[in-house]
Amino acid sequence: MKGSTMFRPIILALLLCAPALAEPITSGPRPLYLVDQMAPGPLRDRLMSCANDPVRRTLFSIGHRGAPMQFPEHTVESYVAAARMGAGILECDVTFTADKELVCRHAQNDLHTTTNILATDLAVKCTAGFTPADDDMRAHAECRTSDITLAEFRTLTGKMDAANPNARSVAQYMDGTAGWRTDLYAADGGDLMTHAESIALFKSLGAKFTPELKPAVVEMPYDGFSQEDYAQKLIDEYISAGIPASDVWVQSFNLDDVLYWIRHAPEFGAQAVYLDGSYRIEGWRPDLPETWVHQMGDLKAMGVNYIAPPTWVLLALVDGEIVPSRYALEARAAGIEIITWTIERSGPLQNGGGWYYQTIKDVTNSDGIMYEVIDVLAQQVGVKGIFSDWPATTSYYASCVGLD
């Protein structure tokens, strides 16, 4: 019955007043595990010196979808875990249902990998039902929030975001969690949330807000619901909840969304975050401004005060040392603040670190490099915050070096 319409209000009510959330913030064993992997030096010594110090809640530590390294993303459980690890800002990625209600999901079409929908009667409503793998094709499915109503969405439970492409059955397809993640905290599922519920929960946890307006996979306008309506509805839910704009960093990869907020909700637009996706363009390079879609001065002139590229865009190697990239330096020179993503999303870093470490892969040879990366981002790039799939890592660093 977990996640059912009957029990979800009770679960949320209990969490909103749970005394456990007033307990001291804890980081667990992982931060010091990472410190143990570091090469000897001043940074390692400083981080080790904080081993017995309390970890504080800090705005530098942002819970990326909660704490999805071990908890199902965008669930009550994931968000509570992130807050207990000191995340001062929590993220609800926002999309909408068939009846145009806002809910927390990373994509409008990810229910087949992030929830139990394929194992429920709602599977028949999916845009594309489960198709098993065969010798010529991988297993696949596509289930969208816009395939179902909010009432139906509430009956689902969250699971670790994964799918087995070689699956011959629904059960096999749903059982695809990476070995370095875990299903330990997902056995009973996770409680899904509306955007409005996330606002109430984050407030009760003492955290601030960074919702991301996700692109629709349905054609817009959707049943009369325009992109502008969508962007405004997100803002309206903060206004209705009495949340000050200064506590909210709204995000979008769509620059037009950011410009809409700047023009039509300027108090929120002042902290609107442009998720610069220019890196997807063939030939784009962080060290070559001539390949950039927008120069930093032009973005600033539009009213953009925050950008958020992935971590690798902000980093470069010079004589084997990790340093800020040209992109990072140009952004700061233009007076644009930087937030970045995502620490703790790559798994073990022994062999180059994968996508998030691509500009520094030649020196990425152990998990210990993670704190070197965080330190360069904080001290040399000057980022305001870092998204993490396991916020204890960034909370520990920020508490140790005295960041807000």
Side-chain angles (χ1 to χ4, degrees):
M1 297 295 292
K2 189 171 180 65
S4 70
T5 304
M6 179 185 300
F7 287 100
R8 288 184 77 263
I10 298 173
I11 292 168
L12 285 171
L14 289 172
L15 284 167
L16 290 176
C17 61
L21 300 184
E23 296 175 357
I25 294 166
T26 59
S27 63
R30 183 156 178 81
L32 287 176
Y33 167 81
L34 296 173
V35 174
D36 286 341
Q37 311 307 308
M38 295 177 67
L43 179 59
R44 185 182 187 278
D45 292 343
R46 181 171 188 182
L47 294 176
M48 188 61 76
S49 73
C50 298
N52 295 318
D53 296 341
V55 174
R56 300 177 295 104
R57 176 169 290 114
T58 168
L59 299 182
F60 183 82
S61 179
I62 306 173
H64 181 240
R65 316 183 200 179
M69 187 165 80
Q70 295 195 28
F71 291 84
E73 64 183 49
H74 296 308
T75 62
V76 172
E77 294 81 358
S78 188
Y79 291 135
V80 171
R84 286 174 172 164
M85 286 187 276
I89 303 175
L90 297 173
E91 178 190 45
C92 167
D93 289 328
V94 178
T95 187
F96 57 87
T97 59
D99 44 354
K100 294 170 280 190
E101 295 297 332
L102 303 187
V103 295
C104 298
R105 288 290 92 199
H106 180 65
Q108 192 170 46
N109 60 341
D110 73 1
L111 294 183
H112 51 290
T113 65
T114 65
T115 76
N116 66 334
I117 191 169
L118 291 175
T120 74
D121 292 341
L122 291 175
V124 298
K125 292 195 168 188
C126 290
T127 294
F130 171 71
T131 300
D134 58 28
D135 293 339
D136 300 316
M137 183 175 61
R138 298 177 131 202
H140 62 276
E142 183 181 359
C143 302
R144 303 174 176 179
T145 57
S146 54
D147 290 335
I148 58 177
T149 65
L150 176 59
E152 291 168 329
F153 176 85
R154 289 187 183 281
T155 68
L156 302 176
T157 60
K159 74 176 196 68
M160 296 300 284
D161 182 14
N164 177 0
N166 300 313
R168 300 300 177 105
S169 69
V170 167
Q172 290 176 349
Y173 185 76
M174 294 174 64
D175 185 21
T177 304
W180 55 273
R181 294 183 182 266
T182 182
D183 286 312
L184 182 63
Y185 304 109
D188 293 328
D191 290 286
L192 308 188
M193 305 194 74
T194 67
H195 176 238
E197 288 169 343
S198 79
I199 295 172
L201 180 63
F202 297 178
K203 181 179 179 181
S204 77
L205 295 171
K208 299 185 189 298
F209 315 84
T210 185
E212 180 188 339
L213 196 72
K214 304 302 294 190
V217 296
V218 295
E219 185 176 352
M220 298 292 277
Y222 173 76
D223 189 27
F225 189 54
S226 69
Q227 186 67 28
E228 292 77 15
D229 294 334
Y230 182 26
Q232 187 61 49
K233 187 177 178 69
L234 180 148
I235 297 296
D236 289 343
E237 293 196 345
Y238 288 95
I239 294 173
S240 295
I243 304 299
S246 58
D247 286 352
V248 184
W249 288 263
V250 289
Q251 313 170 67
S252 181
F253 275 99
N254 182 354
L255 183 57
D256 287 340
D257 292 336
V258 175
L259 297 179
Y260 174 87
W261 293 321
I262 290 169
R263 293 164 185 158
H264 298 281
E267 65 279 17
F268 288 89
Q271 290 189 164
V273 181
Y274 175 42
L275 296 161
D276 186 1
S278 301
Y279 58 85
R280 300 167 177 159
I281 299 171
E282 185 176 356
W284 186 94
R285 286 175 49 176
D287 60 337
L288 292 179
E290 58 267 29
T291 69
W292 302 351
V293 177
H294 300 287
Q295 299 302 305
M296 296 301 169
D298 295 337
L299 287 173
K300 184 67 175 178
M302 296 177 195
V304 176
N305 294 321
Y306 286 82
I307 58 170
T311 50
W312 66 267
V313 167
L314 300 172
L315 302 173
L317 282 180
V318 175
D319 297 327
E321 296 292 323
I322 304 172
V323 299
S325 69
R326 176 76 177 273
Y327 180 102
L329 296 173
E330 293 278 348
R332 294 309 310 278
I336 298 177
E337 301 288 2
I338 304 172
I339 298 170
T340 192
W341 45 276
T342 305
I343 291 294
E344 296 282 29
R345 197 161 180 81
S346 302
L349 304 181
Q350 282 72 21
N351 298 303
W355 191 82
Y356 285 96
Y357 292 79
Q358 59 188 277
T359 47
I360 59 168
K361 62 183 179 180
D362 290 346
V363 297
T364 303
N365 53 18
S366 82
D367 287 346
I369 202 73
M370 200 177 305
Y371 273 128
E372 293 185 40
V373 166
I374 292 172
D375 189 62
V376 171
L377 290 170
Q379 306 301 331
Q380 298 185 47
V381 175
V383 299
K384 302 296 289 185
I386 298 179
F387 284 89
S388 177
D389 279 18
W390 197 246
T393 299
T394 43
S395 299
Y396 183 90
Y397 174 88
S399 296
C400 185
V401 304
L403 298 179
D404 292 334

